[in-house]
Structure formats: structure tokens, C-alpha cells
Amino acid sequence: MIRVKIRSWTASFRYPTFQSGYQPTLPVPPLSTIQGLLSAAKGEIASFMEVPFVGYVFISEGKGIDLEKIYALGKPVTDVMKREVLLDNTLYLYLPDEWEEHFRKPRFQLLLGRSSDIATVEEIKKVELERKENVPIGGTIVPVSTGLPGIIHALVVEFDYSTIPRRAKLVRPFTILPFPRTDGQKKRQTSKNKIPYDSELGIGVWLHEGLHGEV
């Protein structure tokens, strides 16, 4: 498999239970954001039906508040909204080898959230992940069935872009696991089962494989 390292100054991932007013961000991207990245790189809408597996680790170095001007339908004046923004971000994507050509020359701009959250590919390398038990997982989302403690949300896996507006094609509950930085976080987010382990980053990588053929 390949590991694609993507960097951005800012990122913002929509918090599903907030519709208006103050907009917090999820600490890690949902799978729908990963679908957006794959689609932008390939130059056409990508479905997880054509991706046998995908894993990712997202690391953010901080968080701030951005003031965003919005235009509401039917209102002659603009509003200013406070939006949380993640700063100095790194996303590692784990994908089958055939995706290397798309990320070597992405067809469209890569984004980590809003149109202003521009991202660039910094590195693509082939990696082999050893399966190990008792390793921490983080910077990602995992199925609730893993039993790992964390915030649970129903998140969109994939959007259907054949309609306007787009509609959620598949929604599933996931446990959100921020990238662990302390020994306590690593201990809480440790998987007892054997999972792929990235020894260079010192983190377990959850590969979403069950998506293939189900969307």
C-alpha cells in the first residue's frame, strides 16, 4: 500500500449536530471528507465501492476561532459566524498502490473542509504495516463495535452527488479518536486486537475495509 502525506495550514470538519450559529469542528475528518479528497485527486466522483480499503491518521497542532461572513438565502444582509479551525495539520492516507498516480498529479485542488482549507501533497511512499496488538489508535474514526472509548457520532460515509443538493448515501455510527499525545490517551485508545501498525508514526491504523461493496 501507499501512504500519502497531506499538509494544510487550516482545516474544518462539520460537526453533525450543529446547523447554525457557532460552528465547532470535529477533531478528525469523517470518511465523507476522505471521499472528497479521493474525488478531487482522481478528477471525478469516487465511491468507496472502488476502494478496497482506506485508512487515515490526522494530526493537528492547534485550534483557533475564525470569523466567517455568510450569505443566507432570502436575507439582504450578511451574518458573521464564529467557526472553529484546526491549525497546522497533517493527514496520512493509506491506500492501494493504484491511487499513487492520482495523488502525484491531483486533478483538482485538495481541501480539508472549506474551500479556503487548501491542502498539498508533501510525500507519497510505499509502506508495509505490521499487524500488532496492544497499540494505540488515533487521528481517525473507528466502528463503535471496536469498543474503544470516545465520542460517538452518526457520520456520513459517502455522499450521492447525482442530486442537488447532495444527499447522504450511507450513514453509520463511529467512535471519534483524536490523535493521542499523552500516555493516558494512548492507554485509553489502545486496541487489544491485532491491527496494522505504522512504526514510523508510532500509531495503529484502522483500515476501513467493510465499505467495499456496501455503498
Side-chain angles (χ1 to χ4, degrees), residues 12-197:
S12 179
F13 309 118
R14 183 177 172 274
Y15 212 92
T17 54
F18 283 74
Q19 296 295 328
S20 62
Y22 179 72
Q23 294 287 311
T25 177
L26 292 173
V28 302
L31 279 166
S32 56
T33 297
I34 305 302
Q35 183 202 8
L37 285 171
L38 298 180
S39 300
K42 189 175 182 181
E44 59 185 61
I45 300 300
S47 169
F48 286 120
M49 288 186 70
E50 58 188 278
V51 185
F53 66 86
V54 61
Y56 60 93
V57 174
F58 178 80
I59 305 170
S60 176
E61 300 300 330
K63 185 189 296 185
I65 303 294
D66 192 14
L67 296 178
E68 187 175 74
K69 182 186 287 187
I70 61 171
Y71 296 86
L73 289 174
K75 293 181 67 175
V77 297
T78 60
D79 290 329
V80 175
M81 184 179 65
K82 291 183 178 179
R83 181 189 292 274
E84 272 189 342
V85 179
L86 300 167
L87 305 171
D88 194 5
N89 310 294
T90 306
L91 173 67
Y92 294 94
L93 277 178
Y94 300 82
L95 291 162
D97 292 351
E98 54 265 31
W99 280 87
E100 178 172 354
E101 62 175 301
H102 300 308
F103 281 95
R104 288 284 178 199
K105 293 183 178 180
R107 182 73 179 275
F108 298 117
Q109 181 63 61
L110 305 179
L111 303 173
L112 288 180
R114 303 167 299 172
S115 58
S116 57
D117 298 322
I118 297 172
T120 57
V121 175
E122 193 169 284
E123 179 188 62
I124 301 176
K125 67 184 295 186
K126 294 189 183 297
V127 294
E128 292 187 10
L129 305 183
E130 178 188 0
R131 297 185 74 87
K132 296 183 66 175
E133 57 187 11
N134 295 318
V135 295
I137 305 176
T140 189
I141 62 174
V142 296
V144 175
S145 58
T146 59
L148 291 169
I151 299 174
I152 297 175
H153 273 297
L155 299 174
V156 175
V157 174
E158 183 169 321
F159 280 107
D160 179 0
Y161 290 93
S162 64
T163 61
I164 300 176
R166 66 182 184 180
R167 65 178 180 83
K169 200 171 180 180
L170 179 64
V171 179
R172 285 184 181 175
F174 290 97
T175 302
I176 297 172
L177 300 176
F179 188 80
R181 296 184 180 278
T182 67
D183 290 341
Q185 288 174 316
K186 292 178 182 177
K187 186 176 181 181
R188 284 195 301 275
Q189 296 178 196
T190 291
S191 170
K192 295 180 181 178
N193 298 320
K194 279 190 175 181
I195 63 168
Y197 179 72

